[in-house]
Amino acid sequence: MPRRGCYYTAPFSDLKRVLYLKISGIQKASEPRIIPRPSHNVSRADISKSALKVLYRLNKAGYQAFLVGGCVRDALLGLHPKDFDVATNAHPDEVRALFSNCRLIGRRFRLAHVRFGREVIEVATFRGAAAPADGNGNGNGFDSDVAHDEQGRILRDNVYGTVEEDVWRRDFTCNALYYNIADFSIWDYVGGMDDIRARRLVLIGDPVKRLREDPVRMLRAVRFAAKLDFTIDHAAALAIAETRTLLRNVPPARLFDEFLKMFQLGHAQRTFELLRAHRLFELLFPETAEHLDRDENFLRFVERALASTDERVAHGQAVTPMFLIGVFLWAPVTRFAEELREQGQVSDVESLAVAAREITLMQQSRIALPRRFTAPMCDMLAMQPRFEVRRGRRALGFLEHRRFRAAYDFMMLRAEVGEVDRETADFWTAVQTQNQEQRLQTFELSAAKKRRRRKPRRRRSAGQA
Ligand code: ATP
Ligand code: MG
């Protein structure tokens, strides 16, 4: 990972960092520390043309316009930001009025999306400081449009405010730096510059309260720590330990989005280690976690899969979530299939398919895995015994199966940890490069048999269709 550090002058004093006003439950920032353009390394060359267009147009129309969040953080760290978030005092309707290519989205957070071809610039109006006074949604008169559940989780948040209020809504200090298009300075209310330099993730405000408001921030902490090679600040780590079970209250669909970000962006291995270290993994994949604790071979299998996923991402190769989910569920599925066989409930052949379906259903109560991933994943798992059969027509036909490639990659991974013998793995590797004639020999089929004509299928009557 490139490590071009950020640089700037005049360190932010600790006193200033904690200096914010608490007025009737409202947190307000003190004056920001403004880092002028010559004192930081965020250049317009790091910013997408589309984001610049949005910023300039807002600014020209008389609104404040900042880049904020991951893009500023990544640019300071010398990484290439992957998306650009804009924060402004223009209300969503005012943003829409400025851009013909704009759409308003979201209920939980109302946002404007300005589209340029495939690129979308997200424009958020500053959020107001309407923290719940008592953690149960009874606010202070400002939060008529902020809703919390009984654990303090924010359900909806559409109160607009100023930049000094907006800053307290953000999760980590490193994500709360505002790049001002008016003069290219960076506004720092919370000591984010210092924390970036020290490579630490610090939650803004009271860590326990912030995690209660949105338990997904625990996963974000782990994700950023893995991606940026940051340490999770001690207070945040303690707060995670205290509130981690609240992750169970997060809607499964949101966890799937987060799963993709954690495991498909090239830092899966480190994310997994941190999730386990903070005892969060067991809340996301309970069945998997149980097996990991008692089966070292399975742990090695999972680690190999994570490493190869990261390698693929690093080489720009495609990755599909179904593969990794299949890996996570493999031990629970095989164990359950064994139980089913012992109980004589299903045939040997069917046991894996049935177990895969059942375990997937259990997992879906935690993380909403879309069917377009679970269906091929179940096939991939259920097909594993087919690699044991190396002769005959059915074995030859396996090569043409549309899931063969995924099943093969999965089998190779099993071979790496000694679950499949080398000879079998080599056989299926070699046979893929053979021509049809060689394959007939390999699968011990005679050419004549191969050309046998199929019986014409009986037509289905309309009633069966
Ligand atoms: P990346 O895009 O690299 O994943 P990011 O920090 O930009 O990281 P986004 O999800 O794009 O993350 O969010 C943009 C910004 O919005 C964050 O930097 C943070 O300031 C704020 N934010 C996002 N999600 C949350 C959250 N759950 N709680 C508080 N603030 C959040
Ligand atoms: Mg972002």
Side-chain angles (χ1 to χ4, degrees), residues 69-70 73 82 85 170 175 214 217 220 223 227:
R73 176 200 68 212
K82 66 176 168 55
D85 297 312
R170 310 224 159 243
N175 286 347
D214 183 3
R217 289 174 187 151
R220 289 173 60 86
R223 175 157 71 84
K227 167 180 160 170

Side-chain angles (χ1 to χ4, degrees), residues 374-405:
T374 57
M377 180 202 78
C378 288
D379 286 353
M380 177 179 81
L381 302 188
M383 278 169 17
Q384 290 305 305
R386 289 186 66 174
F387 288 105
E388 303 304 328
V389 184
R390 290 195 257 149
R391 52 192 296 269
R393 196 155 303 282
R394 195 169 136 77
L396 172 65
F398 188 26
L399 284 168
E400 307 301 325
H401 195 291
R402 67 193 174 116
R403 307 259 189 255
F404 175 81
R405 188 64 215 193

Side-chain angles (χ1 to χ4, degrees), residues 247-314:
L247 262 186
R248 293 201 185 106
N249 304 342
V250 176
R254 198 158 166 232
L255 289 182
F256 181 67
D257 291 344
E258 209 50 41
F259 168 85
L260 295 180
K261 291 184 190 165
M262 288 190 291
F263 289 105
Q264 307 274 282
L265 299 179
H267 310 280
Q269 230 179 331
R270 182 75 185 128
T271 300
F272 173 75
E273 281 168 21
L274 288 171
L275 283 176
R276 289 195 82 212
H278 291 277
R279 298 188 56 205
L280 297 172
F281 189 78
E282 64 202 62
L283 297 162
L284 299 176
F285 289 92
E287 306 289 326
T288 309
E290 247 178 61
H291 284 269
L292 288 171
D293 286 342
R294 54 172 195 245
D295 182 350
E296 257 189 43
N297 221 29
F298 180 50
L299 176 62
R300 277 206 301 133
F301 175 65
V302 169
E303 284 171 344
R304 272 305 307 142
L306 293 163
S308 90
T309 303
D310 286 345
E311 277 160 32
R312 288 185 68 92
V313 175

Side-chain angles (χ1 to χ4, degrees), residues 357-422:
R357 271 200 305 274
E358 291 293 319
I359 296 289
T360 302
L361 273 179
M362 276 161 82
Q363 182 57 48
Q364 271 169 323
S365 65
R366 200 49 60 88
I367 301 182
L369 309 168
R371 242 192 80 76
R372 67 177 186 283
F373 297 127
T374 57
M377 180 202 78
C378 288
D379 286 353
M380 177 179 81
L381 302 188
M383 278 169 17
Q384 290 305 305
R386 289 186 66 174
F387 288 105
E388 303 304 328
V389 184
R390 290 195 257 149
R391 52 192 296 269
R393 196 155 303 282
R394 195 169 136 77
L396 172 65
F398 188 26
L399 284 168
E400 307 301 325
H401 195 291
R402 67 193 174 116
R403 307 259 189 255
F404 175 81
R405 188 64 215 193
Y408 166 80
D409 288 344
F410 196 87
M411 181 275 291
M412 291 303 282
L413 203 63
R414 293 174 58 221
E416 275 187 48
V417 295
E419 219 184 89
V420 172
D421 60 61
R422 251 301 122 209

Side-chain angles (χ1 to χ4, degrees), residues 397-459:
F398 188 26
L399 284 168
E400 307 301 325
H401 195 291
R402 67 193 174 116
R403 307 259 189 255
F404 175 81
R405 188 64 215 193
Y408 166 80
D409 288 344
F410 196 87
M411 181 275 291
M412 291 303 282
L413 203 63
R414 293 174 58 221
E416 275 187 48
V417 295
E419 219 184 89
V420 172
D421 60 61
R422 251 301 122 209
E423 203 195 324
T424 305
D426 292 345
F427 173 90
W428 287 100
T429 303
V431 80
Q432 287 177 69
T433 58
Q434 291 179 350
N435 62 31
Q436 192 62 10
E437 217 167 289
Q438 291 167 320
R439 282 182 184 177
L440 287 173
Q441 235 176 20
T442 311
F443 288 95
E444 299 174 29
L445 292 162
S446 72
K449 259 192 185 166
K450 169 71 186 150
R451 287 198 204 97
R452 190 184 61 182
R453 280 188 55 191
R454 272 195 175 185
K455 257 188 175 174
R457 270 210 196 141
R458 269 205 8 230
R459 275 203 170 179

Side-chain angles (χ1 to χ4, degrees), residues 68-71 73 82-85:
V68 65
C71 53
R73 176 200 68 212
K82 66 176 168 55
D83 57 29
F84 294 85
D85 297 312

Side-chain angles (χ1 to χ4, degrees), residues 80-117:
H80 295 293
K82 66 176 168 55
D83 57 29
F84 294 85
D85 297 312
V86 171
T88 178
N89 57 354
H91 281 206
D93 290 326
E94 294 170 326
V95 177
R96 188 166 49 183
L98 280 180
F99 300 94
S100 56
N101 47 339
C102 172
R103 208 160 67 85
L104 300 188
I105 60 139
R107 204 183 86 83
R108 192 168 173 275
F109 295 108
R110 196 130 182 86
L111 296 168
H113 273 182
V114 187
R115 183 175 285 279
F116 298 85

Side-chain angles (χ1 to χ4, degrees), residues 12-20:
F12 195 85
S13 81
D14 273 357
L15 182 65
K16 201 166 176 191
R17 172 196 178 111
V18 293
L19 226 184
Y20 59 85

